[in-house]
Amino acid sequence: MTTNEQSPTAADTGQPERPKDPLAVFRRFPTGLVVFLGLIGAGGVALFLANNAKEVLATCGSDGVMVAGDICETRSRRSFNTTTWTYEERLEFAQAQNLGAIVAGLVVVLIALIAIGAVVVRWRRDVAVANQLASQQAPLTAFATTTGLVTGFLTLVAGLLGGFGAFLAVSASGGKGSPAVGLVLGGLMLVAALGVLLAGRPKGCTLVWAYPSAVRVVTESRVHDVPWRDMQYLSTLGKDRSEWLSWAGRKGTLGIDDKEFFAVMQRTINGAVATDVRQRFEAGDTIDFGDVKVSSSTIALKKKQFPVSAIRGITVMRDKNGTYYEFRDQQIKVAGSVGVQTVANADVLFDLLAKRLNISFLNN
């Protein structure tokens, strides 16, 4: 681990040549995402038009179309109970389902329009941020990406949930039983659709600019200038590792899919954080490494706290649920474990544990 603070340089990055204007992704209109959302809306329009123009007929399964005076018997697949319907009841049932499909189409269109509106609003805010930063000093290295894929997928899920929920709620009135069940289920699905739509709202473009003294991060159309000592990195292990950046006080993380850029950030954060951590440790402070918190006398793993003397070493465990750091007691039993991806600035943590507390990795 690097222990001296360092600043990233162009030569340090070893990255492929990037666009001269890293803010270009902020100005680029998300045409592909809007087209995809438009297709979702078009599906809703097609559902609405097909059922709005449809002639509603009373039918009785394989017996075909009913006429006034006919009686229809249907059998439940689950209970095998037989239900008797009059022509008027089957017609009311068909009308309710047709109306449900019409309303479902309108709900899907509304969800798509809301999502498109949110995308356009976010793009306009991103353009404003790009204009704000256009005159700033060029960074030593940069990373920029868009987040449209999640918005498109979750909007599709919201459309399916909302459309089916609307269909259930509206068509419930045409059944033989109480409409309460259909209304409740449909209502719950509509609420779930709103929740998914909210979760999938466009976050806008992400930008990370590395300067010698600080890191400028743009996320959700907001500019954050973060000192290097407050930056955090998290990652999984293995060949197909995932990597994230964050900073002190922030709850979320920024996914970084550029391995070389992340390596530069990791080295520089190590150098900046190590000095601060050493000083705080000597002052008796508790230092936060995500799910691991360390002081000169205690180690906290999530909500479990142990005296330093109780921990002998660390092992790595992998199972179908992920990879974990296991903290072992003096009898080599597992005292507690934390997910690898929940440990911030892992290089600095393990250097501190090994050099100051004599806690290092054990041979498996």
Side-chain angles (χ1 to χ4, degrees), residues 11 47 102 116 206 211 243 256 315 332 334 344:
L47 183 62
I102 291 172
I116 291 172
T206 295
Y211 289 96
E243 298 160 331
I256 305 296
T315 58
I332 316 299
V334 177

Side-chain angles (χ1 to χ4, degrees), residues 52-271:
N52 191 51
K54 180 180 178 181
E55 181 184 3
V56 180
L57 301 172
T59 59
C60 184
S62 59
D63 293 338
V65 179
M66 298 174 65
V67 296
D70 284 352
I71 298 296
C72 175
E73 290 187 350
T74 60
R75 177 171 292 184
S76 171
R77 292 182 180 179
R78 292 184 179 180
S79 62
F80 298 102
N81 292 331
T82 299
T83 303
T84 301
W85 302 73
T86 65
Y87 166 78
E88 289 75 17
E89 287 172 336
R90 291 299 291 181
L91 181 60
E92 182 183 359
F93 177 72
Q95 289 172 336
Q97 287 204 315
N98 185 70
L99 180 59
I102 291 172
V103 174
L106 292 176
V107 168
V108 172
V109 172
L110 179 61
I111 288 174
L113 289 176
I114 291 174
I116 291 172
V119 168
V120 172
V121 169
R122 178 62 70 187
W123 170 71
R124 291 174 64 89
R125 291 177 179 175
D126 276 353
V127 170
V129 170
N131 293 336
Q132 173 189 342
L133 298 180
S135 61
Q136 300 297 311
Q137 177 185 358
L140 298 171
T141 185
F143 171 83
T145 187
T146 59
T147 56
L149 185 61
V150 172
T151 296
F153 174 73
L154 291 182
T155 301
L156 177 61
V157 173
L160 294 173
L161 281 171
F164 194 60
F167 174 79
L168 282 179
V170 174
S171 63
S173 62
K176 289 283 283 186
S178 171
V181 175
L183 287 171
V184 171
L185 287 176
L188 289 175
M189 294 185 75
L190 285 168
V191 171
L194 290 176
V196 172
L197 188 62
L198 180 63
R201 66 192 185 279
K203 306 298 190 300
C205 299
T206 295
L207 178 73
V208 183
W209 274 356
Y211 289 96
S213 60
V215 179
R216 175 163 290 165
V217 183
V218 180
T219 178
E220 298 186 28
S221 306
R222 297 179 181 177
V223 181
H224 309 269
D225 287 323
V226 186
W228 280 102
R229 66 177 182 276
D230 290 339
M231 288 295 298
Q232 299 173 347
Y233 60 83
L234 304 95
S235 67
T236 57
L237 299 177
K239 294 182 180 179
D240 298 325
R241 54 186 275 171
S242 298
E243 298 160 331
W244 304 270
L245 290 176
S246 187
W247 59 89
R250 176 179 169 82
K251 294 182 180 180
T253 57
L254 307 175
I256 305 296
D257 56 12
D258 186 325
K259 305 298 182 184
E260 295 175 346
F261 174 82
F262 182 85
V264 173
M265 297 297 291
Q266 182 177 2
R267 290 198 303 270
T268 312
I269 292 170
N270 283 344

